[in-house]
Amino acid sequence: MLALALLSLAGCAAERDTHPKGLSAPAVNAYDEIGFPLSDYIFSIQEKTDLENAARLTVADCMRDRGYPVDWPARNPQGATWRLYGVIDIRDAKELGYQARLPEGMTGQDADAAEKNERDGLFAGWSAEKKLAYEGNAPEATGAPSAGATADASGGNGCRDTAAGFHPADGTGSDAAEALQGKVGQKVEEQRAAKDSTATWSSCMKAAGYDYKGPWDANDSPEWHGEQHPGERQKAVATADARCKLSSNWVGIRVALEKQYESDAIRDNLDKLKENKARDTKLLEQARAVIARH
């Protein structure tokens, strides 16, 4: 993970006022109002989907050439309900509580089951020979293909390895920028401005009749775990949560600090980030070329 080590938070760790003077922190009401500097160096949801679909097509071509055709549907972009700061839109909170927006009539449990069925269905009914063509010389004879084998019985690679280039596992590129962004997020939570906003949020919630130390205590409360559809209390708590985030500027302060520290991190790691971005751009070009050929 040398590349991760090369991307440091030196600028963020430097001595600075933990409640920066003159910090501009506009209120944030919806996720489409949020953007971060490091996002320019991280694969978008669509780009990640393109890489996944190119990998599937590459493996499918290999399997066809070996006499084992597969019919794998293309994946659609996932993660449109990304919630870095929990629920912040009061309208969504009133309707959905803490649940993500899903297709009409689908519950969270339905979505989890659909994802599992789609994943498991990729390998349903495969013979041992077909699995071997995919995996290579794997020790497992049954079940979904394993994660470890690379060579088939003839000494070549399994078909899944033909797509390895679309899933870099060396911690560089977009992964390194995401790891750096995570470190920035931790730094933000250490700041007095962020801590003060959480205390203000908690006081606001208490005034509304709910006792939570912080937004994630409300968001992840065990009360909601058994609810396939949000109950009235979940909606009420989520609505108060979103309102208190707005009145305390809980999100706005974090976004402002995140942008400040990410800009510092980019300055201190610019050469490596540019190098990673160039590699990722070539990878996406290759992936989209594969998709265009099919």
Side-chain angles (χ1 to χ4, degrees):
M1 304 296 283
L2 178 60
L4 288 179
L6 292 173
L7 297 187
S8 70
L9 276 176
C12 297
E15 287 296 324
R16 64 164 74 238
D17 188 342
T18 56
H19 194 161
K21 295 178 181 179
L23 175 69
S24 176
V28 176
N29 297 281
Y31 277 108
D32 59 10
E33 300 174 14
I34 300 175
F36 295 115
L38 273 171
S39 296
D40 290 340
Y41 301 94
I42 295 172
F43 287 135
S44 68
I45 293 168
Q46 181 62 61
E47 289 169 342
K48 289 180 179 179
T49 303
D50 288 345
L51 290 170
E52 173 64 23
N53 284 331
R56 287 190 178 199
L57 290 168
T58 300
V59 172
D61 286 348
C62 174
M63 292 294 287
R64 182 197 62 231
D65 293 344
R66 295 190 182 188
Y68 299 103
V70 294
D71 183 18
W72 286 344
R75 289 184 66 86
N76 294 316
Q78 303 293 315
T81 53
W82 170 72
R83 286 183 170 185
L84 178 62
Y85 301 111
V87 61
I88 63 176
D89 189 310
I90 293 174
R91 293 167 299 179
D92 282 350
K94 287 181 177 180
E95 178 187 354
L96 303 170
Y98 288 109
Q99 295 188 8
R101 187 174 296 282
L102 297 167
E104 187 68 28
M106 180 179 283
T107 68
Q109 291 179 344
D110 293 335
D112 291 342
E115 182 177 352
K116 182 178 186 301
N117 289 339
E118 193 268 350
R119 184 175 62 250
D120 293 347
L122 296 178
F123 312 106
W126 282 25
S127 66
E129 292 79 10
K130 191 171 184 177
K131 290 175 186 174
L132 187 62
Y134 174 84
E135 292 190 320
N137 192 20
E140 290 83 353
T142 60
S146 64
T150 58
D152 65 20
S154 63
N157 291 332
C159 281
R160 68 175 170 195
D161 297 296
T162 62
F166 294 119
H167 299 291
D170 55 3
T172 61
S174 179
D175 287 347
E178 283 195 53
L180 184 58
Q181 194 171 58
K183 291 179 181 179
V184 168
Q186 293 173 1
K187 183 70 176 178
V188 166
E189 290 304 319
E190 296 171 0
Q191 304 311 305
R192 183 183 305 133
K195 292 179 178 179
D196 287 350
S197 69
T198 296
T200 303
W201 175 93
S202 183
S203 296
C204 174
M205 289 293 284
K206 189 168 290 187
Y210 310 111
D211 190 8
Y212 297 99
K213 289 184 178 180
W216 294 114
D217 296 311
N219 190 96
D220 300 333
S221 173
E223 291 182 81
W224 328 132
H225 290 179
E227 295 186 350
Q228 291 192 21
H229 299 281
E232 291 307 312
R233 176 173 167 80
Q234 182 184 159
K235 292 178 184 178
V237 172
T239 301
D241 179 354
R243 283 177 172 154
C244 289
K245 283 189 178 115
L246 188 59
S247 66
S248 65
N249 204 16
W250 191 88
V251 178
I253 287 169
R254 280 161 176 76
V255 170
L257 288 169
E258 184 98 13
K259 288 181 177 179
Q260 182 180 77
Y261 290 131
E262 283 195 14
S263 294
D264 290 347
I266 290 172
R267 179 197 64 213
D268 295 333
N269 299 279
L270 185 57
D271 289 345
K272 191 62 182 178
L273 285 166
K274 284 184 175 180
E275 178 185 328
N276 288 344
K277 180 68 174 180
R279 193 200 70 169
D280 286 347
T281 298
K282 289 182 179 179
L283 189 62
L284 279 169
E285 290 173 354
Q286 293 168 3
R288 287 166 178 165
V290 169
I291 293 170
R293 289 198 300 268
H294 287 78

